[in-house]
Amino acid sequence: MGAKKEIMNAPSQDVIVTRVDAAISWMRKNSVWPMPMGLACCGIELMAVGASRFDIARFGSEVMRFSPRQSDLMIVAGTCVYKMAGVVKRVWDQMPNPKWCMAMGACASTGGMYRSYATVQGVDRFLPVDVYISGCPPRPEAVLEGLMAIQRKIANEQALHAMKTGIASAPTHQPVTGPVIVRGDYATRR
Amino acid sequence: MQRVVERDKLLETCRQLKADYEMLTDIAGVDNFGEDPRYEVVYHLYSFQKHEYLRLKVKVPEDDMIMDSLVSVWKTADWHEREVFDMFGIRFRNHPNLKRILMWDGYPYYPLRKDFPLAGIQTELPEYAEDAGKAEAANMLGGPFFGGTGTTSSREREPRQYDTPAEQQEKLKS
Ligand code: SF4
């Protein structure tokens, strides 16, 4: 008890010194609120990511926001057809900066097995995708790894610069890595 | 059971059949490319009393692609007919709301016709989706790919993408 009191009384022990940039990035990366763009079967797997077994809440992303105005990360989970592309784009445009985008599964990344007239051959045709996750559908672990990749990206960003310029992914002293590709087939599946 | 019906007798036939066959389960369009008449519309009816299906086939020639709508007989025909219209361009007389159901309004093609390429044709997107780019033809990369039905292991039957046609030929030979 006495020791604790001593610490409480010593102001120097209570202070953490950091850069504002780093603090903002740290806060951001641990409260990434996803916009679940569940368009097909991958959407079901995304629900598993949110449920108790895999529990995306461990990474601060449990609050799936169905309002684009309150979300930071768009997870495109599923097959995007051209008819839907405009809707996805509009939702993306409504999300406030800074924002990130994850293409979950083969369909969202490349069109997947739907090489046809109706399907967008990868949502990167109209969205700036940060992380691609392979798999059909990817394991929930892979989605979590994708989220961690996004967190690493956020941690590398210069938040203040981004605020000033309005560009979400501002280049930093440690350049933000380009799109990340996450392997979707985890050992639990094989 | 199956019956071939004349196009102009369809509506009348169906009105009579409704007494036995209460449910219209499906409408399908068929493109018999190269034959005359080219198109065919297939109706699947079901009878709850007899526990029996009845299939009606109606031929539709290419130069006069219009037939009677069955919405007045079975309400469920509404969306089915819209789908046939969307995919094949067959029109239905007296349909309450004959517009595209799967593709967007203003899409210029009928994609399930045999002479339409699977990859699609570059097209403008509808107004609300303009900033999502264009609907482009998909890169087929040597596809479409078929699984095959031989007795080989599923690992070999698995459809795969080959980067060059030569590679594909090589694989098919072995
Ligand atoms: S990648 Fe597979 S599981 Fe995911 S939406 Fe496409 S078909 Fe469905």
Side-chain angles (χ1 to χ4, degrees), chain A residues 40-42 78-79 105-107 113-114 135-137:
Chain A
C41 11
C42 272
T79 323
C107 287
M113 60 179 169
Y114 303 102
C136 177

Side-chain angles (χ1 to χ4, degrees), chain A residues 35 65-72 90-92 94-96:
Chain A
M35 161 84 224
R65 286 286 116 168
F66 291 88
S67 155
R69 315 244 179 237
Q70 301 169 349
S71 41
D72 312 301
R90 176 171 293 186
V91 171
W92 170 258
Q94 286 173 348
M95 285 166 58

Side-chain angles (χ1 to χ4, degrees), chain A residues 9-188:
Chain A
N9 290 337
S12 63
Q13 301 284 314
D14 280 340
V15 177
I16 298 170
V17 182
T18 180
R19 287 178 295 118
V20 182
D21 257 359
I24 292 176
S25 295
W26 178 78
M27 288 182 245
R28 273 187 187 159
K29 93 184 203 319
N30 291 303
S31 61
V32 180
W33 289 4
M35 161 84 224
M37 202 72 210
L39 301 175
C41 11
C42 272
I44 305 293
E45 210 67 5
L46 184 60
M47 291 174 212
V49 183
S52 49
R53 179 163 182 156
F54 296 99
D55 197 10
I56 202 170
R58 292 178 292 152
F59 303 87
S61 300
E62 70 277 23
V63 202
M64 297 271 175
R65 286 286 116 168
F66 291 88
S67 155
R69 315 244 179 237
Q70 301 169 349
S71 41
D72 312 301
L73 166 68
M74 176 180 267
I75 305 181
V76 185
T79 323
C80 183
V81 295
Y82 284 111
K83 201 173 179 178
M84 193 67 190
V87 181
V88 177
K89 183 74 171 61
R90 176 171 293 186
V91 171
W92 170 258
D93 287 343
Q94 286 173 348
M95 285 166 58
N97 272 327
K99 54 191 172 184
W100 295 271
C101 179
M102 183 195 283
M104 176 183 170
C107 287
S109 305
T110 66
M113 60 179 169
Y114 303 102
R115 287 187 189 280
S116 81
Y117 58 90
T119 308
V120 184
Q121 302 294 303
V123 291
D124 50 5
R125 302 242 166 156
F126 60 93
L127 295 182
V129 176
D130 291 298
V131 174
Y132 298 84
I133 306 174
S134 75
C136 177
R139 290 283 314 173
E141 294 98 315
V143 180
L144 293 179
E145 192 175 327
L147 180 68
M148 286 191 279
I150 295 234
Q151 289 184 331
R152 284 195 291 275
K153 254 185 138 160
I154 297 174
N156 275 344
E157 272 172 16
Q158 262 184 340
L160 284 182
H161 174 80
M163 271 184 216
K164 261 182 251 154
T165 57
I167 304 163
S169 304
T172 64
H173 53 292
Q174 261 176 330
V176 175
T177 42
V180 184
I181 297 172
V182 174
R183 266 190 71 171
D185 57 333
Y186 266 61
T188 37

Side-chain angles (χ1 to χ4, degrees), chain B residues 137-149:
Chain B
N139 186 350
M140 298 306 282
L141 292 168
F145 307 102
F146 303 104
T149 51

Side-chain angles (χ1 to χ4, degrees), chain B residues 3-21:
Chain B
R3 223 196 272 181
V4 179
V5 188
E6 289 291 316
R7 191 156 48 124
D8 26 331
K9 302 230 176 69
L10 176 73
L11 190 57
E12 198 192 317
T13 316
C14 285
R15 282 207 181 112
Q16 288 163 6
L17 283 173
K18 173 94 195 258
D20 282 345
Y21 295 88

Side-chain angles (χ1 to χ4, degrees), chain B residues 4 8 20-22 27-28 32 54 62 66-67 73-75 88 92 104 110 112-113 118 130 132 137 144-145 150:
Chain B
V4 179
D8 26 331
D20 282 345
Y21 295 88
E22 301 92 339
I27 304 181
N32 298 307
L54 174 66
E62 196 174 359
I66 186 156
M67 53 194 302
V73 187
W74 292 282
K75 275 218 180 90
F88 294 94
F92 293 87
W104 57 93
Y110 298 105
L112 277 197
R113 288 185 180 177
L118 173 60
E130 253 167 11
F145 307 102

